[in-house]
PDB file of all heavy atoms in Angstrom:
ATOM      1  N   VAL N 205      19.544  -0.888  34.865  1.00  0.00           N
ATOM      2  CA  VAL N 205      20.172   0.438  34.804  1.00  0.00           C
ATOM      3  C   VAL N 205      20.615   0.882  36.200  1.00  0.00           C
ATOM      4  O   VAL N 205      21.753   1.329  36.402  1.00  0.00           O
ATOM      5  CB  VAL N 205      19.192   1.471  34.198  1.00  0.00           C
ATOM      6  CG1 VAL N 205      19.752   2.879  34.362  1.00  0.00           C
ATOM      7  CG2 VAL N 205      18.948   1.156  32.730  1.00  0.00           C
ATOM      8  N   ILE N 206      19.744   0.710  37.180  1.00  0.00           N
ATOM      9  CA  ILE N 206      20.097   1.140  38.545  1.00  0.00           C
ATOM     10  C   ILE N 206      21.315   0.380  39.063  1.00  0.00           C
ATOM     11  O   ILE N 206      22.250   0.965  39.603  1.00  0.00           O
ATOM     12  CB  ILE N 206      18.904   0.934  39.505  1.00  0.00           C
ATOM     13  CG1 ILE N 206      17.804   1.930  39.164  1.00  0.00           C
ATOM     14  CG2 ILE N 206      19.343   1.110  40.965  1.00  0.00           C
ATOM     15  CD1 ILE N 206      16.581   1.815  40.030  1.00  0.00           C
ATOM     16  N   ALA N 207      21.308  -0.929  38.852  1.00  0.00           N
ATOM     17  CA  ALA N 207      22.387  -1.734  39.428  1.00  0.00           C
ATOM     18  C   ALA N 207      23.720  -1.487  38.741  1.00  0.00           C
ATOM     19  O   ALA N 207      24.757  -1.461  39.378  1.00  0.00           O
ATOM     20  CB  ALA N 207      22.027  -3.216  39.369  1.00  0.00           C
ATOM     21  N   HIS N 208      23.687  -1.328  37.435  1.00  0.00           N
ATOM     22  CA  HIS N 208      24.956  -1.324  36.711  1.00  0.00           C
ATOM     23  C   HIS N 208      25.365   0.032  36.146  1.00  0.00           C
ATOM     24  O   HIS N 208      26.469   0.189  35.655  1.00  0.00           O
ATOM     25  CB  HIS N 208      24.904  -2.344  35.573  1.00  0.00           C
ATOM     26  CG  HIS N 208      24.517  -3.721  36.042  1.00  0.00           C
ATOM     27  ND1 HIS N 208      25.228  -4.385  37.006  1.00  0.00           N
ATOM     28  CD2 HIS N 208      23.496  -4.524  35.699  1.00  0.00           C
ATOM     29  CE1 HIS N 208      24.661  -5.562  37.226  1.00  0.00           C
ATOM     30  NE2 HIS N 208      23.601  -5.667  36.461  1.00  0.00           N
ATOM     31  N   LYS N 209      24.461   1.005  36.190  1.00  0.00           N
ATOM     32  CA  LYS N 209      24.780   2.256  35.507  1.00  0.00           C
ATOM     33  C   LYS N 209      24.701   3.481  36.402  1.00  0.00           C
ATOM     34  O   LYS N 209      24.850   4.600  35.922  1.00  0.00           O
ATOM     35  CB  LYS N 209      23.809   2.440  34.329  1.00  0.00           C
ATOM     36  CG  LYS N 209      24.104   1.548  33.134  1.00  0.00           C
ATOM     37  CD  LYS N 209      25.221   2.132  32.301  1.00  0.00           C
ATOM     38  CE  LYS N 209      25.866   1.060  31.453  1.00  0.00           C
ATOM     39  NZ  LYS N 209      27.159   1.508  30.926  1.00  0.00           N
ATOM     40  N   THR N 210      24.423   3.297  37.685  1.00  0.00           N
ATOM     41  CA  THR N 210      24.337   4.471  38.551  1.00  0.00           C
ATOM     42  C   THR N 210      25.340   4.375  39.693  1.00  0.00           C
ATOM     43  O   THR N 210      25.822   3.301  40.020  1.00  0.00           O
ATOM     44  CB  THR N 210      22.936   4.614  39.183  1.00  0.00           C
ATOM     45  OG1 THR N 210      22.722   3.501  40.058  1.00  0.00           O
ATOM     46  CG2 THR N 210      21.844   4.648  38.122  1.00  0.00           C
ATOM     47  N   ARG N 211      25.606   5.520  40.308  1.00  0.00           N
ATOM     48  CA  ARG N 211      26.507   5.533  41.458  1.00  0.00           C
ATOM     49  C   ARG N 211      25.891   4.797  42.629  1.00  0.00           C
ATOM     50  O   ARG N 211      26.586   4.150  43.406  1.00  0.00           O
ATOM     51  CB  ARG N 211      26.793   6.967  41.868  1.00  0.00           C
ATOM     52  CG  ARG N 211      27.736   7.608  40.918  1.00  0.00           C
ATOM     53  CD  ARG N 211      28.159   8.969  41.398  1.00  0.00           C
ATOM     54  NE  ARG N 211      29.002   9.540  40.364  1.00  0.00           N
ATOM     55  CZ  ARG N 211      29.461  10.771  40.401  1.00  0.00           C
ATOM     56  NH1 ARG N 211      29.172  11.546  41.423  1.00  0.00           N
ATOM     57  NH2 ARG N 211      30.217  11.219  39.437  1.00  0.00           N
ATOM     58  N   PHE N 212      24.574   4.920  42.730  1.00  0.00           N
ATOM     59  CA  PHE N 212      23.893   4.198  43.795  1.00  0.00           C
ATOM     60  C   PHE N 212      24.157   2.694  43.642  1.00  0.00           C
ATOM     61  O   PHE N 212      24.520   2.007  44.600  1.00  0.00           O
ATOM     62  CB  PHE N 212      22.391   4.496  43.733  1.00  0.00           C
ATOM     63  CG  PHE N 212      21.554   3.590  44.591  1.00  0.00           C
ATOM     64  CD1 PHE N 212      21.724   3.577  45.960  1.00  0.00           C
ATOM     65  CD2 PHE N 212      20.611   2.758  44.023  1.00  0.00           C
ATOM     66  CE1 PHE N 212      20.954   2.739  46.764  1.00  0.00           C
ATOM     67  CE2 PHE N 212      19.840   1.911  44.812  1.00  0.00           C
ATOM     68  CZ  PHE N 212      20.014   1.910  46.183  1.00  0.00           C
ATOM     69  N   GLY N 213      24.018   2.207  42.404  1.00  0.00           N
ATOM     70  CA  GLY N 213      24.288   0.787  42.157  1.00  0.00           C
ATOM     71  C   GLY N 213      25.716   0.418  42.539  1.00  0.00           C
ATOM     72  O   GLY N 213      25.959  -0.605  43.183  1.00  0.00           O
ATOM     73  N   ALA N 214      26.653   1.283  42.176  1.00  0.00           N
ATOM     74  CA  ALA N 214      28.058   1.004  42.500  1.00  0.00           C
ATOM     75  C   ALA N 214      28.247   0.939  44.014  1.00  0.00           C
ATOM     76  O   ALA N 214      28.975   0.089  44.527  1.00  0.00           O
ATOM     77  CB  ALA N 214      28.948   2.076  41.890  1.00  0.00           C
ATOM     78  N   SER N 215      27.557   1.832  44.743  1.00  0.00           N
ATOM     79  CA  SER N 215      27.660   1.816  46.204  1.00  0.00           C
ATOM     80  C   SER N 215      27.120   0.512  46.778  1.00  0.00           C
ATOM     81  O   SER N 215      27.645  -0.008  47.759  1.00  0.00           O
ATOM     82  CB  SER N 215      26.865   2.969  46.817  1.00  0.00           C
ATOM     83  OG  SER N 215      27.350   4.190  46.357  1.00  0.00           O
ATOM     84  N   VAL N 216      26.046   0.008  46.154  1.00  0.00           N
ATOM     85  CA  VAL N 216      25.448  -1.239  46.631  1.00  0.00           C
ATOM     86  C   VAL N 216      26.459  -2.379  46.502  1.00  0.00           C
ATOM     87  O   VAL N 216      26.684  -3.148  47.441  1.00  0.00           O
ATOM     88  CB  VAL N 216      24.171  -1.567  45.830  1.00  0.00           C
ATOM     89  CG1 VAL N 216      23.687  -2.982  46.141  1.00  0.00           C
ATOM     90  CG2 VAL N 216      23.088  -0.557  46.144  1.00  0.00           C
ATOM     91  N   TYR N 217      27.088  -2.481  45.353  1.00  0.00           N
ATOM     92  CA  TYR N 217      28.101  -3.518  45.157  1.00  0.00           C
ATOM     93  C   TYR N 217      29.251  -3.331  46.150  1.00  0.00           C
ATOM     94  O   TYR N 217      29.783  -4.291  46.698  1.00  0.00           O
ATOM     95  CB  TYR N 217      28.664  -3.467  43.740  1.00  0.00           C
ATOM     96  CG  TYR N 217      27.825  -4.206  42.728  1.00  0.00           C
ATOM     97  CD1 TYR N 217      26.788  -3.580  42.061  1.00  0.00           C
ATOM     98  CD2 TYR N 217      28.077  -5.549  42.441  1.00  0.00           C
ATOM     99  CE1 TYR N 217      26.018  -4.260  41.136  1.00  0.00           C
ATOM    100  CE2 TYR N 217      27.320  -6.231  41.520  1.00  0.00           C
ATOM    101  CZ  TYR N 217      26.287  -5.585  40.860  1.00  0.00           C
ATOM    102  OH  TYR N 217      25.530  -6.268  39.956  1.00  0.00           O
ATOM    103  N   ALA N 218      29.635  -2.079  46.357  1.00  0.00           N
ATOM    104  CA  ALA N 218      30.758  -1.803  47.254  1.00  0.00           C
ATOM    105  C   ALA N 218      30.439  -2.277  48.672  1.00  0.00           C
ATOM    106  O   ALA N 218      31.247  -2.940  49.319  1.00  0.00           O
ATOM    107  CB  ALA N 218      31.069  -0.309  47.253  1.00  0.00           C
ATOM    108  N   LEU N 219      29.224  -1.956  49.144  1.00  0.00           N
ATOM    109  CA  LEU N 219      28.833  -2.393  50.491  1.00  0.00           C
ATOM    110  C   LEU N 219      28.873  -3.906  50.595  1.00  0.00           C
ATOM    111  O   LEU N 219      29.338  -4.466  51.584  1.00  0.00           O
ATOM    112  CB  LEU N 219      27.420  -1.914  50.807  1.00  0.00           C
ATOM    113  CG  LEU N 219      27.256  -0.559  51.435  1.00  0.00           C
ATOM    114  CD1 LEU N 219      25.802  -0.374  51.854  1.00  0.00           C
ATOM    115  CD2 LEU N 219      28.167  -0.402  52.627  1.00  0.00           C
ATOM    116  N   GLY N 220      28.374  -4.565  49.543  1.00  0.00           N
ATOM    117  CA  GLY N 220      28.366  -6.020  49.552  1.00  0.00           C
ATOM    118  C   GLY N 220      29.771  -6.598  49.540  1.00  0.00           C
ATOM    119  O   GLY N 220      30.011  -7.697  50.025  1.00  0.00           O
ATOM    120  N   GLY N 221      30.711  -5.827  49.006  1.00  0.00           N
ATOM    121  CA  GLY N 221      32.084  -6.316  48.919  1.00  0.00           C
ATOM    122  C   GLY N 221      32.837  -6.189  50.234  1.00  0.00           C
ATOM    123  O   GLY N 221      33.816  -6.881  50.466  1.00  0.00           O
TER     124      GLY N 221
END
Side-chain angles (χ1 to χ4, degrees):
Chain N
V205 170
I206 290 180
H208 306 303
K209 285 280 159 195
T210 65
R211 285 187 184 174
F212 168 62
S215 300
V216 170
Y217 276 88
L219 271 188

